[in-house]
Amino acid sequence: MTLHAATPTLKERQRQERERLILRAAGEVLADQGYDGMSMEDVASRVGISRAAIYLHFPSKEDLVFALLGRGIQMFAESVDDIFASGLTPREKVRAIIEHSYGGMAQPSFRFFNAVLQSPTFLSKMTERQRTMRDVWNPIQQRLTDVLDEGKRSGDFDTEMPTSLMVSLLSGLLTPFTFKQMVEQEGMPLPEVVNFLSRYFLKGIAPSQPDDLPETRRPAH
Amino acid sequence: MTLHAATPTLKERQRQERERLILRAAGEVLADQGYDGMSMEDVASRVGISRAAIYLHFPSKEDLVFALLGRGIQMFAESVDDIFASGLTPREKVRAIIEHSYGGMAQPSFRFFNAVLQSPTFLSKMTERQRTMRDVWNPIQQRLTDVLDEGKRSGDFDTEMPTSLMVSLLSGLLTPFTFKQMVEQEGMPLPEVVNFLSRYFLKGIAPSQPDDLPETRRPAH
Amino acid sequence: MTLHAATPTLKERQRQERERLILRAAGEVLADQGYDGMSMEDVASRVGISRAAIYLHFPSKEDLVFALLGRGIQMFAESVDDIFASGLTPREKVRAIIEHSYGGMAQPSFRFFNAVLQSPTFLSKMTERQRTMRDVWNPIQQRLTDVLDEGKRSGDFDTEMPTSLMVSLLSGLLTPFTFKQMVEQEGMPLPEVVNFLSRYFLKGIAPSQPDDLPETRRPAH
Amino acid sequence: MTLHAATPTLKERQRQERERLILRAAGEVLADQGYDGMSMEDVASRVGISRAAIYLHFPSKEDLVFALLGRGIQMFAESVDDIFASGLTPREKVRAIIEHSYGGMAQPSFRFFNAVLQSPTFLSKMTERQRTMRDVWNPIQQRLTDVLDEGKRSGDFDTEMPTSLMVSLLSGLLTPFTFKQMVEQEGMPLPEVVNFLSRYFLKGIAPSQPDDLPETRRPAH
DNA sequence: TATGAATGAGTTTTCATTCAT
DNA sequence: GATGAATGAAAACTCATTCAT
């Protein structure tokens, strides 16, 4: 009936829109109820459709969340790409990444990252599928690695600390853990939190000064 | 018949031992299945008793986990107290805290902290009970605050950064997040992780040098 | 597509039919097992559906029974209304009420009234809901009160006895207690039981004759 | 060790006392929680002993309640015997029975009768044991029958109504149903309730006057 | 395509009853 | 004798998933 097979438009467009709505709803529920706490009914009623309709788009709860995760990761990766391609200095790039993450976290759209990444239920289902979180998370890690390595080369960051550890520390910072504490409970304005966090992280990974080392206890000479 | 009521009477001893076993099992399951993933059956079978027997010690799943949490917090608080009372410098104290936490985390005994603190299901049940996580977590926060404030006074730590934020950052570091990444997946030896983490955190909260500020983008002069 | 929204759309019809079937089954089980003895499985298997399917219609066992009770009360109330509006004399109305009740009681549809009203478990749950049995039972009591007050005004019934007591006595008579004894165990035909009961009650509440009083013991003259 | 086998005293006395305490506690719990609502723990803790200790006296919950029922029936039967043997007129005897029952009902000691007699769970267990309630209840019925038959012979009561029905009606009156309504909810003083009830019942079973009959609707001639 | 209906598997919790000490 | 500990069986309820319409 469609004139041009190349026009996936109408129906297809509606379908994708529906899918987006479902993903958005799922993200919201996920963000504040967690993977186990999220029921298909929650999502469906938020979109205003029936539970069964979700299965027209995603074969299972697991797949739905996985898709959401994938989309989130991709979006985040694209942002990091933009930042990477900008003319900013490595330090400024790190700051921009933190800023961007926390900006997004205010909208619940990013909060669910944590929800998913911390849910043993989801993670174990993932493992059953032979898909390590490692693979999924890889695009992000790779990009962060690139930024940090660039900083190492430019002499901005500590070359002694393995980049993988830096990546892990930065990821940990982007988790809503600190965010919730400070903004929601202490009432600190978001930009200020971002400022402090950036400074903290950059100082933490700055090239070591001679007097940074003495952490391993030595007798005062 | 016993002269001193202080004698825990064997029966009582056994009871406490059972209780410890249950708590331990619960901690293990919790650590790798999360709050929702942990079923009473899991715990029971791990201890080698029946589901119902658990209810002889704890009135509900919620209470069991709550008890576990309480015990964990108390143990941690005591360790921090010891460290605080030692003659170490503030920087050394912070390092000792990190070291201790990660040492404990290797045994799954501490891993469950995260499991619980990140479970929306449990947290919301807690809220229903009018017991904020804030109150529960308070003893820890207070102690960390003490250590960090001491360091501020001694000139070791940045006085511009609010202590509450530092506490939050330190707490975030003690979370098994980074730990899992580095030790379990990257295979880095634990002491090395501790070393890096301590240095990172201490550098991050060190008093600001003039050239630490430029994070707010300024035109190149 | 249906022209009139008033058309219950087949689906809806089926749904209501199912609901009726569930209620009926529940009534039966309730009548001979009591509230505590009735398990959702009992009801489900009697209808030929799964336990879970019941929850598609009623959110809990409590609600199911409550709905059943409500329906029963409403049906009974309507019957009493019809009787009240008839041209019968007060005495005849009372008789009609008794007759109607016992007629209905033969079908187990009414038997459950007693089951519910006598179940401490259910009653206490009701209290938790802040819904006194008083409120629920009120429509019935009100109607019986109307009939009896009418009889008092017409001089048919004893004006000295509080109507509330009369209502209570009549209610007690409608309880399947006596019914079970006489019909099921003694084998007395139902109409005869109704006859005796009506006469007994009407004589009992008839206006007092001077020589009815002497119940308080007096010395034989 | 006991000097005289004939002295079942000390130990035995204590045993019986313990048994009485258990029965009393069971009666109380039964009265306001019903058979299903009564847990062995409820009873035990009320007596101040352990659940297991109850089983030293009664082989099962069922037996415990059965014993309680038996004792209650026997006590009631004895009271009726006393009344029967007194020099009172039949009408006065009936009144005395009602008075006695309601007096007892104020103390919860009698309330449990109803609880038990209306519990399908208990009744069905009874049936399994091949012991009809009929047999158990028989001593009471027999005595009430005696009193009422005496009244029939003396011309005080309606000879047309079968005595078994009268017994059933009287039993129904002794049920706490009306009692609860009037005393607990309407606040009517107990003696007044007894007065009204006695008059009502006696009028109800009084010998029929010609004009009592017309209940069966006949065409006005 | 969308949905209401249906379900099986699983979860927490309760309780009468038994038994070693 | 008395008890604390232990348990098996049941029961209410939830939820992801399927399917006929």
Side-chain angles (χ1 to χ4, degrees):
Chain A
M1 295 293 171
T2 49
L3 297 180
H4 305 282
T7 325
T9 13
L10 196 67
K11 289 267 177 177
E12 187 54 24
R13 220 176 265 282
Q14 285 185 338
R15 178 183 178 77
Q16 288 188 349
E17 179 56 15
R18 182 58 67 87
E19 210 159 290
R20 226 187 328 265
L21 287 175
I22 294 173
L23 285 169
R24 177 143 64 94
E28 289 166 11
V29 179
L30 215 42
D32 54 60
Q33 322 248 69
Y35 182 76
D36 299 280
M38 167 188 127
S39 80
M40 296 304 258
E41 173 59 29
D42 288 337
V43 177
S45 70
R46 211 173 262 245
V47 181
I49 59 177
S50 72
R51 258 183 325 232
I54 298 181
Y55 288 86
L56 261 33
H57 298 266
F58 304 95
S60 74
K61 178 181 176 181
E62 202 184 331
D63 286 282
L64 166 56
V65 174
F66 192 68
L68 184 60
L69 186 61
R71 205 191 55 160
I73 285 175
Q74 195 191 331
M75 284 172 56
F76 188 76
E78 283 169 9
S79 310
V80 178
D81 282 342
D82 289 348
I83 291 169
F84 189 64
S86 72
L88 300 171
T89 69
R91 290 170 62 88
E92 285 167 342
K93 284 180 184 171
V94 165
R95 192 187 193 282
I97 289 171
I98 294 175
E99 194 168 22
H100 172 78
S101 304
Y102 274 79
M105 235 164 269
Q107 305 126 309
S109 26
F110 264 90
R111 289 248 305 273
F112 82 94
F113 256 137
N114 204 42
V116 172
L117 294 172
Q118 304 280 0
S119 160
T121 312
F122 181 69
L123 293 177
S124 84
K125 288 199 173 171
M126 199 114 264
T127 309
E128 282 170 24
R129 281 195 188 200
Q130 315 268 3
R131 285 191 157 195
T132 325
M133 213 57 244
R134 225 172 155 47
D135 308 330
V136 177
W137 197 238
N138 208 38
I140 301 290
Q141 283 190 312
Q142 193 47 57
R143 281 161 175 86
L144 295 182
T145 301
D146 291 345
V147 172
L148 293 167
D149 276 342
E150 188 187 38
K152 277 183 170 180
R153 283 193 302 274
S154 70
D156 281 311
F157 304 150
D158 185 0
T159 50
E160 289 178 24
M161 181 185 283
T163 310
S164 65
L165 177 54
M166 284 184 185
V167 169
S168 180
L169 289 168
L170 181 51
S171 303
L173 221 55
L174 303 185
T175 267
F177 187 90
T178 306
F179 166 74
K180 278 181 103 167
Q181 288 279 321
M182 302 314 296
V183 177
E184 291 184 3
Q185 298 201 357
E186 302 276 342
M188 182 182 289
L190 191 54
E192 199 174 343
V193 173
V194 170
N195 250 330
F196 275 122
L197 257 43
S198 305
R199 249 158 65 181
Y200 160 76
F201 180 71
L202 289 171
K203 279 161 67 180
I205 65 166
S208 287
Q209 309 283 321
D211 63 312
D212 284 335
L213 317 170
E215 288 323 316
T216 34
R217 262 166 252 125
R218 300 150 310 153
H221 62 96
Chain B
M1 295 306 167
T2 49
L3 296 181
H4 304 286
T7 321
T9 56
L10 176 65
K11 281 267 178 182
E12 187 52 25
R13 222 177 260 285
Q14 285 184 337
R15 180 185 177 77
Q16 289 186 349
E17 179 55 17
R18 258 270 192 272
E19 209 159 292
R20 230 191 321 268
L21 287 176
I22 294 173
L23 284 169
R24 178 144 64 93
E28 288 166 12
V29 180
L30 213 44
D32 55 61
Q33 320 248 67
Y35 183 77
D36 297 280
M38 165 187 128
S39 81
M40 295 305 255
E41 173 60 28
D42 289 337
V43 177
S45 70
R46 206 173 266 242
V47 182
I49 58 178
S50 72
R51 263 191 316 256
I54 298 181
Y55 289 87
L56 258 34
H57 298 266
F58 305 95
S60 74
K61 179 180 174 181
E62 205 182 330
D63 285 281
L64 167 57
V65 174
F66 193 67
L68 189 59
L69 186 61
R71 206 191 54 159
I73 285 176
Q74 196 192 331
M75 283 173 54
F76 189 76
E78 284 169 10
S79 310
V80 178
D81 281 342
D82 290 346
I83 292 170
F84 189 62
S86 72
L88 299 171
T89 68
R91 291 169 62 87
E92 285 167 342
K93 284 180 183 171
V94 166
R95 191 185 194 281
I97 289 171
I98 293 175
E99 193 168 20
H100 171 77
S101 305
Y102 274 81
M105 233 164 270
Q107 304 127 311
S109 23
F110 265 90
R111 290 249 305 273
F112 81 95
F113 257 140
N114 204 41
V116 171
L117 294 172
Q118 304 280 358
S119 160
T121 312
F122 182 70
L123 292 179
S124 85
K125 287 197 173 174
M126 195 116 275
T127 309
E128 281 171 24
R129 281 196 188 199
Q130 313 269 2
R131 285 189 157 196
T132 326
M133 215 57 243
R134 224 173 156 46
D135 306 330
V136 177
W137 197 238
N138 207 38
I140 301 291
Q141 282 189 313
Q142 193 48 56
R143 282 162 174 88
L144 296 183
T145 300
D146 291 345
V147 171
L148 293 167
D149 276 341
E150 190 187 37
K152 278 183 169 181
R153 283 194 302 274
S154 70
D156 281 313
F157 306 149
D158 185 0
T159 51
E160 288 179 25
M161 180 185 285
T163 310
S164 64
L165 177 54
M166 283 184 187
V167 168
S168 182
L169 289 167
L170 181 50
S171 303
L173 220 57
L174 303 185
T175 266
F177 187 89
T178 307
F179 166 75
K180 277 180 107 167
Q181 289 279 322
M182 301 314 296
V183 177
E184 291 183 2
Q185 300 200 0
E186 301 275 341
M188 180 182 291
L190 190 55
E192 201 174 342
V193 174
V194 171
N195 250 331
F196 276 123
L197 257 45
S198 305
R199 255 163 57 183
Y200 161 74
F201 180 71
L202 288 170
K203 281 163 66 181
I205 65 166
S208 287
Q209 310 280 323
D211 62 312
D212 284 335
L213 316 170
E215 291 322 317
T216 34
R217 261 169 250 121
R218 299 150 309 153
H221 61 98
Chain C
M1 293 302 170
T2 47
L3 296 181
H4 304 286
T7 320
T9 56
L10 177 63
K11 281 267 179 182
E12 187 53 26
R13 222 176 262 284
Q14 285 183 336
R15 178 184 179 78
Q16 289 186 349
E17 179 56 17
R18 256 278 188 268
E19 211 159 290
R20 229 191 321 269
L21 286 175
I22 294 173
L23 284 169
R24 177 144 64 93
E28 289 166 12
V29 179
L30 214 44
D32 55 61
Q33 321 248 69
Y35 182 77
D36 297 280
M38 165 188 130
S39 82
M40 295 305 255
E41 173 60 28
D42 288 337
V43 177
S45 70
R46 207 174 267 244
V47 182
I49 59 178
S50 72
R51 266 192 310 261
I54 298 180
Y55 289 88
L56 258 34
H57 298 266
F58 304 94
S60 72
K61 179 180 174 182
E62 205 183 328
D63 285 281
L64 167 55
V65 173
F66 192 68
L68 188 59
L69 185 61
R71 206 190 55 161
I73 285 176
Q74 195 193 331
M75 284 173 54
F76 188 76
E78 284 169 9
S79 310
V80 177
D81 282 341
D82 291 345
I83 292 171
F84 189 64
S86 72
L88 299 171
T89 68
R91 291 169 61 88
E92 285 168 340
K93 284 180 183 172
V94 166
R95 192 186 193 281
I97 289 170
I98 294 175
E99 193 167 22
H100 172 78
S101 305
Y102 274 81
M105 234 165 270
Q107 304 127 309
S109 24
F110 265 90
R111 289 248 304 273
F112 81 94
F113 256 143
N114 204 41
V116 171
L117 294 172
Q118 305 280 358
S119 159
T121 312
F122 182 69
L123 292 178
S124 85
K125 287 197 172 172
M126 196 115 274
T127 309
E128 281 171 24
R129 280 196 187 199
Q130 315 268 3
R131 285 191 156 195
T132 325
M133 213 57 241
R134 227 173 154 47
D135 307 330
V136 177
W137 197 239
N138 207 39
I140 301 291
Q141 282 189 314
Q142 192 48 57
R143 281 163 174 87
L144 296 182
T145 300
D146 291 344
V147 172
L148 292 167
D149 276 341
E150 189 187 39
K152 277 183 170 180
R153 284 194 301 275
S154 70
D156 281 312
F157 305 149
D158 185 0
T159 51
E160 289 178 26
M161 181 185 284
T163 310
S164 64
L165 177 54
M166 282 184 186
V167 169
S168 182
L169 289 168
L170 182 50
S171 302
L173 221 55
L174 303 185
T175 267
F177 187 91
T178 306
F179 166 74
K180 278 180 104 167
Q181 289 278 323
M182 302 314 295
V183 177
E184 290 184 2
Q185 299 199 359
E186 301 276 342
M188 182 182 289
L190 191 55
E192 200 175 341
V193 174
V194 170
N195 249 331
F196 276 122
L197 257 42
S198 306
R199 250 160 62 181
Y200 161 74
F201 180 71
L202 289 171
K203 280 162 66 181
I205 65 166
S208 287
Q209 308 283 323
D211 63 313
D212 284 333
L213 318 171
E215 291 321 318
T216 35
R217 259 167 254 126
R218 301 149 308 153
H221 63 96
Chain D
M1 296 297 170
T2 49
L3 297 180
H4 304 283
T7 325
T9 13
L10 194 68
K11 290 266 176 177
E12 186 53 24
R13 220 177 265 282
Q14 285 185 337
R15 180 185 176 75
Q16 288 187 350
E17 178 56 15
R18 183 57 70 84
E19 211 160 288
R20 228 188 325 266
L21 288 175
I22 294 174
L23 285 169
R24 177 144 64 94
E28 289 166 11
V29 179
L30 215 43
D32 56 60
Q33 321 248 67
Y35 181 77
D36 298 280
M38 167 187 126
S39 79
M40 295 304 258
E41 174 59 29
D42 288 338
V43 177
S45 70
R46 210 172 261 245
V47 181
I49 59 177
S50 72
R51 261 186 322 240
I54 298 181
Y55 288 86
L56 261 33
H57 297 266
F58 304 95
S60 75
K61 179 180 175 181
E62 202 184 332
D63 285 282
L64 166 57
V65 174
F66 192 67
L68 185 61
L69 186 61
R71 206 191 55 159
I73 285 176
Q74 195 192 330
M75 282 172 57
F76 188 76
E78 284 169 9
S79 309
V80 178
D81 282 342
D82 290 348
I83 293 171
F84 189 63
S86 73
L88 300 171
T89 69
R91 290 169 62 90
E92 284 168 342
K93 284 179 183 172
V94 165
R95 192 185 193 281
I97 289 171
I98 294 176
E99 193 166 22
H100 172 77
S101 304
Y102 274 80
M105 233 165 269
Q107 305 126 310
S109 25
F110 264 91
R111 290 249 305 275
F112 83 93
F113 256 134
N114 203 42
V116 172
L117 294 172
Q118 303 280 359
S119 160
T121 312
F122 181 70
L123 293 178
S124 85
K125 288 199 172 170
M126 199 114 263
T127 309
E128 281 171 22
R129 282 197 188 198
Q130 314 269 1
R131 285 190 158 194
T132 325
M133 214 57 244
R134 225 173 155 46
D135 308 329
V136 178
W137 197 237
N138 208 39
I140 301 290
Q141 282 189 313
Q142 193 47 58
R143 281 161 175 87
L144 296 182
T145 301
D146 290 346
V147 171
L148 293 166
D149 276 343
E150 189 187 37
K152 278 184 170 179
R153 282 194 301 274
S154 70
D156 281 312
F157 306 148
D158 185 0
T159 50
E160 287 179 24
M161 181 185 284
T163 310
S164 64
L165 177 53
M166 283 185 187
V167 168
S168 181
L169 289 168
L170 181 51
S171 304
L173 219 57
L174 302 185
T175 266
F177 187 91
T178 306
F179 167 74
K180 278 181 105 167
Q181 289 279 321
M182 301 314 296
V183 177
E184 292 183 3
Q185 299 201 358
E186 301 276 342
M188 181 181 290
L190 190 56
E192 200 175 342
V193 174
V194 170
N195 250 331
F196 275 122
L197 257 43
S198 304
R199 251 161 61 184
Y200 161 75
F201 180 70
L202 288 171
K203 280 162 67 179
I205 64 166
S208 287
Q209 310 280 324
D211 62 311
D212 284 334
L213 317 170
E215 290 322 316
T216 34
R217 261 169 250 122
R218 300 152 309 155
H221 63 96

